[in-house]
Amino acid sequence: MSNDAPVGVTIVGSANMDIVFAVDRIPRPGETLLADSAQRFPGGKGLNQAVAAARASAPTRFIGALGRDENGAALAATMDDAGIDSTLVRRVSDPTGQAFIVVDGSGENTIIVASGANATVTDLGEGDREALALTAVLLMQLELPLAAVRSAASVTHTAGGIVILNAAPAQPVPRELLDSLDYLVVNEHEACLVGESADLEVASARLASLVSRLVVTLGSAGSVLFDDGVEVARIAAPKVTTVDTTGAGDTFCGAFAAAIAEGMDFADAARFATAAAALSVQAVGAVPSVPQRAAIDAVLTDRTEA
Ligand code: RIB
């Protein structure tokens, strides 16, 4: 893929090597627990979302940074395997990002990220700007420095592309960034933090009044969609057995961006993304659990026929 060819989905985001400890329960402060296992998986919210978009069949480009180390080589291989265009990924002297993840018996997790190379993405290069002006859909998270996220949103928005922000990990989002979004995707915790209220309904209503379209994901309870400040749909999630929720939100976002790039309407894109996320919680690890397009389509076909 050349740098000036139009690309369906561009992800500006983080890439981490995840080190996942399986435990019966999340440790309390000051406590030492023995894990059942420790495994390493490709991850990072940006990379997970890029893999989800690519496996959902969108031509996908990734803009971010990797270290010149073993983890960087492994994550670059992950991008290649998924068919992601990584020509704009910087290789830097800082170590590749790492995430330390504890997953308990119910599939819930806690995550600590050592940003490393991700933190070096403080601005955009000329090639980044050219690609961002040509992309149909830009998808970002908040695991890179905010300055890069703001610049990317501004370039794609000004060029007429669709801009999606997944406000994860949660932090206050500047008004100027909210103004450049076509879609904001948040989970309950992120909605309350970004929407500045402990009451989810109040926070959602506030956020819905600030962005064109809002998706509030509710885990196994599905998601709520708002358009122009008004709730327009509730999407139910299929009932599944949860093994590991790591990367489920990322799978939702990547699949959602792919569906929007493909021309699906808001509710259909959310249904598609919900099916993808439901598949992802049934396996361990972030990238390894991201489903292929055929599996997502099969879930949707089964639900339609049921
Ligand atoms: O959303 C899950 C991701 O958060 C993990 O893959 C980890 O790397 C952190 O970025």
Side-chain angles (χ1 to χ4, degrees), residues 235-253:
I235 309 295
K239 295 214 178 325
V240 296
T241 303
T242 299
V243 174
D244 179 5
T245 57
T246 310
D250 300 331
T251 299
F252 182 99
C253 292

Side-chain angles (χ1 to χ4, degrees), residues 14-18 41-46 48 98-101 109 111-113 143 245-250 286-287:
S14 60
N16 298 326
M17 182 57 77
D18 292 351
F41 299 109
K45 295 186 193 303
N48 298 339
Q98 295 183 81
F100 299 89
I101 303 179
N109 64 52
I111 303 178
I112 299 172
V113 175
E143 232 170 33
T245 57
T246 310
D250 300 331
V287 163

Side-chain angles (χ1 to χ4, degrees), residues 97-150:
Q98 295 183 81
F100 299 89
I101 303 179
V102 178
V103 180
D104 73 11
S106 71
E108 281 306 327
N109 64 52
T110 56
I111 303 178
I112 299 172
V113 175
S115 292
N118 298 307
T120 68
V121 187
T122 52
D123 57 9
L124 302 173
E126 200 45 47
D128 301 330
R129 290 175 185 280
E130 281 169 17
L132 288 163
L134 284 169
T135 197
V137 174
L138 165 65
L139 172 60
M140 304 169 300
Q141 323 73 38
L142 296 175
E143 232 170 33
L144 289 188
L146 195 56
V149 173
R150 290 168 82 148

Side-chain angles (χ1 to χ4, degrees), residues 63-83:
I63 298 176
L66 298 172
R68 294 189 200 95
D69 50 18
E70 204 179 313
N71 285 339
L75 299 186
T78 297
M79 291 180 205
D80 288 348
D81 290 348

Side-chain angles (χ1 to χ4, degrees), residues 5-90:
V7 172
V9 176
T10 299
I11 281 86
V12 174
S14 60
N16 298 326
M17 182 57 77
D18 292 351
I19 302 154
V20 181
F21 298 92
V23 292
D24 289 340
R25 59 178 177 78
I26 307 291
R28 286 186 286 271
E31 188 181 26
T32 300
L33 284 185
L34 299 187
D36 295 330
S37 65
Q39 291 175 278
R40 291 153 63 89
F41 299 109
K45 295 186 193 303
L47 179 55
N48 298 339
Q49 295 187 12
V51 172
R55 289 190 185 159
S57 298
T60 303
R61 183 194 296 276
F62 187 79
I63 298 176
L66 298 172
R68 294 189 200 95
D69 50 18
E70 204 179 313
N71 285 339
L75 299 186
T78 297
M79 291 180 205
D80 288 348
D81 290 348
I84 295 166
D85 181 344
S86 62
T87 49
L88 291 171
V89 173
R90 304 139 170 76

